[in-house]
Amino acid sequence: MLQSPVLTALNHLLAQADWARGRLRPFAGRQARIELPPLPTLSFAVDEEGYLRSTEEGGADVSIILSALPLLALGNPEQAFKQAHISGNADFADSLGFVLRNLRWDFEEDLSRLVGDIAAHRIAGLLTGLFAWQRETAARLGENLSEYLAEEQGVLLRPSEISAFTDDLNQLRADLARLEQRIGRLSR
């Protein structure tokens, strides 16, 4: 159900990235399975050209279980793959993981086929600027909220305050240990 569109999209990205197909070609005929609960399992094999072909679930050479769907949805595949459980052939898993982490869509190239090179470049620049603005705005909002909660409301502690508290606590422990030693010497 979901496998065919996903493989079509991945193959489209692979068509734009010769380096990725070159990295997968040595593993022609090998099968892989990617599980991303609650989505259906994705089973595929690498063909001689480095593209992915659908296969039936079964004896996979590599199994990757990703449990970080929110990280993928937020566009952070690196973090998602750090939390993945990978089993099977190490070389194939390494190459497959590298390709999946670093494969990027060149939307400007696809857009240029519809509207031309100049318009696609301008639209891509506009969209890139818009997304950068949104990321920057979200970062500033987070910084302002944390500053408000730390400075105005006193709900959060600044790192310097936590560090000072930790230093005071360590000093208190050392003083207590010295006091216990003195008491022990006096009681003897």
Side-chain angles (χ1 to χ4, degrees):
M1 161 177 90
L2 187 64
Q3 184 155 318
S4 181
V6 171
L7 288 178
T8 301
L10 285 172
N11 283 330
H12 178 74
L13 297 179
L14 286 170
Q16 294 177 339
D18 293 335
W19 64 267
R21 288 192 322 276
R23 185 123 186 199
L24 292 176
R25 261 186 221 111
F27 304 102
R30 300 270 177 107
Q31 294 185 11
R33 181 177 64 241
I34 299 177
E35 296 178 29
L36 183 59
L39 299 176
T41 299
L42 182 64
S43 296
F44 58 88
V46 178
D47 70 10
E48 297 80 25
E49 297 173 12
Y51 290 102
L52 307 179
R53 301 294 174 228
S54 181
T55 61
E56 295 297 320
E57 285 192 47
D61 297 299
V62 168
S63 177
I64 301 174
I65 301 171
L66 297 166
S67 58
L69 183 60
L71 289 174
L72 284 176
L74 293 174
N76 195 348
E78 191 70 36
Q79 270 307 107
F81 272 95
K82 283 182 182 178
Q83 297 178 14
H85 175 73
I86 301 172
S87 61
N89 182 291
D91 292 334
F92 184 33
D94 181 53
S95 291
L96 187 59
F98 181 81
V99 167
L100 292 176
R101 279 191 313 270
N102 294 296
L103 202 57
R104 299 289 181 265
W105 178 34
D106 186 4
F107 68 93
E108 187 174 339
E109 175 67 27
D110 287 340
L111 189 58
S112 71
R113 293 184 191 132
L114 295 173
V115 296
D117 289 340
I118 295 172
H121 182 70
R122 289 186 179 172
I123 292 170
L126 177 71
L127 291 175
T128 302
L130 178 65
F131 292 133
W133 172 77
Q134 287 180 338
R135 277 192 303 276
E136 185 179 324
T137 301
R140 284 185 185 170
L141 179 63
E143 289 170 6
N144 288 339
L145 181 61
S146 65
E147 182 180 341
Y148 171 75
L149 291 174
E151 300 292 332
E152 301 292 328
Q153 296 296 314
V155 175
L156 297 178
L157 297 176
R158 285 181 254 116
S160 60
E161 292 174 329
I162 294 172
S163 179
F165 176 74
T166 303
D167 292 343
D168 290 345
L169 190 59
N170 289 335
Q171 183 64 41
L172 183 62
R173 284 184 185 146
D175 292 345
L176 183 60
R178 282 195 302 277
L179 181 63
E180 286 176 346
Q181 287 177 350
R182 274 191 197 159
I183 292 173
R185 276 186 255 138
L186 288 174
S187 65
R188 281 186 244 143

